[in-house]
Every structure is written in structure tokens, then in C-alpha cells.
Amino acid sequence: MSARVLVVDDDKAHLAMLVAMLQGWGYAVHPATDGEDAIALVREHSFDAVLTDIRMARVDGLEALRQIRSYNPFLPVLLMTAYSSLDIAVEALKAGAVDYLHKPLDFDELRSALQRTITHGALRPLPAAETQDLSSAIIGTSPPMLELKRMIQAVAPSEASVLILGESGTGKELVAKAIHHDSLRSGKPLVTVNCAALQENLLESELFGHEKGAFTGALRQRDGLFVQANGGTLFLDEIGEMAVALQAKLLRALQEGEVQRIGSDRLIRVDVRILAATNRDMQAEIQAGRFREDLYYRLNVIALHVPSLRERAEDIPALAQYFLTRFAERNKKSIRGVTPRAMDAMLRYTWPGNVRELENIVERAVILTPDSYIAEKDLPAALTATPVSRDEEPRSNTSGQLLEDAERQAIQRILEQVNYNKSEAARQLGITRVTLRNKMKKFGLGENQTP
Ligand SMILES: Nc1ncnc2c1ncn2[C@@H]1O[C@H](COP(=O)(O)OP(=O)(O)OP(=O)(O)O)[C@@H](O)[C@H]1O
Ligand SMILES: [Mg+2]
């Protein structure tokens, strides 16, 4: 059972980095971008610790600390600040902070501070329902992903059919798993069937089962997936590919709550919740006569839209870090991160294959790279051959800001790792010393400077 940590920072890139890192250390992490959100979250959920920035717009960290303490005096709060001022430290400790960390963070120090805080804190077992909250395993803190997670939490405990829409590779199956996992049926099976993988007759016998001898090859009687999912959830993946004739049989089964094995007259009662997913435009499918409108309304009691990766570029750093940690572990390689140039390429790319494509690219890079950072050379040409260059094309403010933050952090991290040896840092970053010097000046990064 992993401890739950609420991490609060209004610098989104820094927040994404912290979340990825703490998850890597095995914590269940909940992000918030300001003090007000943090206070609201503390009122709704139980946490084992809070890690919060002090300087934030809206409600700042000290104020959040006071309100959190007044709401739950047992919840340990760790503060981080870039301003090394004794006054703030004293004020923070007086207000009840358990510890106080300087930015730029020393990661080892943060790790041990968290361990200390959580083992010394009053350890109370969390209710099972809370630790099973799988939607926290869905990476992403962009507004559309937070909205999606909120919707998952809201629909999971209901019995409603949910239609999960989104481009290929966006995480539709992961959403289906999260809904089942967070539902009251989580103790019963989640049975998945890919409607595109089987030809019509086979799919029918998979879904409904068959009697012995019902057709050539039916050597034994077999239960269908509806029966196997009884009491649980049936996930109909790629529902848009199902043949129209079979759609009619499916609709009947859903309406009656009963199924019939092929070759049998007996009706079997089943209690199954239906989740379905598709990457097709269902309105167009209905228009074209390829999908039954009545079945569509039956499945689409609630529609969840999983956003494409290009609609939420700010989630790319956290996803990349998450996959990197996973694949580095699996391949027994010690890879720490992504160079700013490689991250720049990732942030600019349009990701037609969405998260699955990002996952594959990170896996490939982890396997290929001999270094401790994934660099441009480890990425496929499609990513690095993006024609627009940085100086020619002004990017939108948010992605530009995000890039700068990510770049500044990566440069700072490498500089610290190599003890400000500029040749070595430039080598690891894949840039020239002159470029490095310019960037250090631009970001105010120097040995004696506090950024
Ligand atoms: N937000 C996320 N956080 C972590 N992993 C994710 C996320 N979204 C997707 N993934 C991972 O990306 C891969 C693709 O996701 P998934 O199979 O759920 O996509 P899909 O929408 O069902 O794709 P398709 O339409 O091609 O079937 C999986 O390995 C999944 O675990
Ligand atoms: Mg899928």
C-alpha cells in the first residue's frame, strides 16, 4: 500500500517533474496547482503528507499550511521555497510545517524528508476503496485529463453504460479498467472483447456461447463472455467495427438482460455492466447505416472523451518520465531523463499514435541509448525532422513557457550533477559550450546564483 502525497506547485513543469519523481519512488501522488485547490483536496481526500511550494499566486503555501493545519492538524506538511530566508523558515515551522526544503531541491534530501515524515506521522490504514483508486495511475494533470479523471470517479460507482471515445492510443482501455476498478463490481471480473479482432460468427459465439455441435468446430458446449462477466463488467472494445446483424443481437441481450447460447433455446439471465470504446465518429457511422442508432443510445448513457496527446502537450514530460522509469527498470539501465533538445522535439511533435506512440518511442530510446539521458539522436527521425525551427515559428505561450521551464530544469539538473563542469554538461546536453553559456545566462543559472 503506497502512501498518498499531495504535491502543490503553481509551476506546472516543476509540478509534473515532482509528480513523476514521487511516483517513481512508489508514492501515490495527487497534484494541485495552487493553495486553494490543495485546501479543497485535503477536505475531500485523506493524504499521508503534503509537499507544497511557498511562493504561489492566489493562496500561497504559508496560508495553505495554516488552513490545512486548522482542518487536519495531524497531516504533516513539507514546504519548499526558492527564497532562502530564515524568516520564512521560522514562520513556516511556527505555523506547523514539519520540515522545510530549499529550491533547487536536493532530491536525496527530499526523499529522506518524505520518508521521515511519513513513517513518523500517525500511520492509519486507508480504507480499501481509496487505495484502489486506479484512476490515479492514469498519468496527466492537464485540464482535460483532470476533467476526465473527475468524470471517471463520478461514473465508476454507477451502473450506467459508458461509451469511451478517443483517437487510437489515447488510453481508452486504461479508462475502461479504471472505471471497473473503481466500481462496486471491482471484485468481479472485467472481461474484454475486441470486436475488430473476430469475424462476425466467431464474435457472436464468443459473446453468447454455443452448444455442442451448434456449428462445425463446436466440439463442446461453451459459455459466452456475457456469462463469464456475470456480476462484473464487459468491455466491448472497438464497438464501431461490429457487424450490423450482430448489433441487433447485442441490443436484444442488453435490453432483456438475457443471453442464449448459439444452438440453444434456453435463456440465461446475466447481470453485466457494459463499457464500450471506439475511435470512430459514431454519428457518421449511424448516418452511413453502419451503426444502429438504438444500440448507440443504449451504450452511450454517458460518453467520456479521452483527449488526444496533442491537445494536452503539457502531459508529455510526465508521461515520458513515467515510461522512462518503467522501461529503464525493465531493461536494467540507469537512465535519468530526457535532454532539453529531445524534450523540445517531443513537445513539438503531433503524436498521431498518441500515448501508445510515446510509450513505444521511449521504450526504443531507452534500449538504444548508451547515455544516462535520452537525446535527440535516440528519437526516430519523424520527431527530430520537424521542419519549423524554434526561431522561425513563434509557439503558443503555454507550450513555449513549458519548454523553457523543462529546459531550464534539465540544464540546472545536469549542471548540478557534473558539479558545474561546463564542458561535461554541454556534452551530456548535446549542445556547444557557447550555447550552454548563453542558456545559463538567459536562465540565470550559475554556481553562485539562486535562480
Ligand atoms: N494517461 C496515461 N497514463 C499512463 N499510461 C497511459 C496513459 N494513456 C495511455 N497509456 C498507455 O498507453 C498505451 C495505449 O493505451 P490504450 O491501449 O488504453 O489506448 P486505446 O485508446 O485503447 O488505443 P486503441 O484505440 O489503439 O485501442 C497503454 O500501454 C496504456 O497503458
Ligand atoms: Mg484499445
Side-chain angles (χ1 to χ4, degrees), residues 173 237-238 356:
E173 184 161 359
D237 202 359
E238 319 251 14
R356 177 174 298 110

Side-chain angles (χ1 to χ4, degrees), residues 155-200:
V155 304
S158 80
E159 288 289 306
S161 298
V162 181
L163 183 61
I164 306 163
L165 302 165
E167 288 177 20
S168 172
T170 45
K172 295 186 294 297
E173 184 161 359
L174 198 60
V175 168
K177 285 181 184 156
I179 294 173
H180 173 73
H181 203 280
D182 293 350
S183 78
L184 305 173
R185 294 172 175 260
S186 61
K188 294 287 170 71
L190 167 68
V191 174
T192 296
V193 56
N194 185 333
C195 303
L198 299 174
Q199 171 260 331
E200 185 177 350

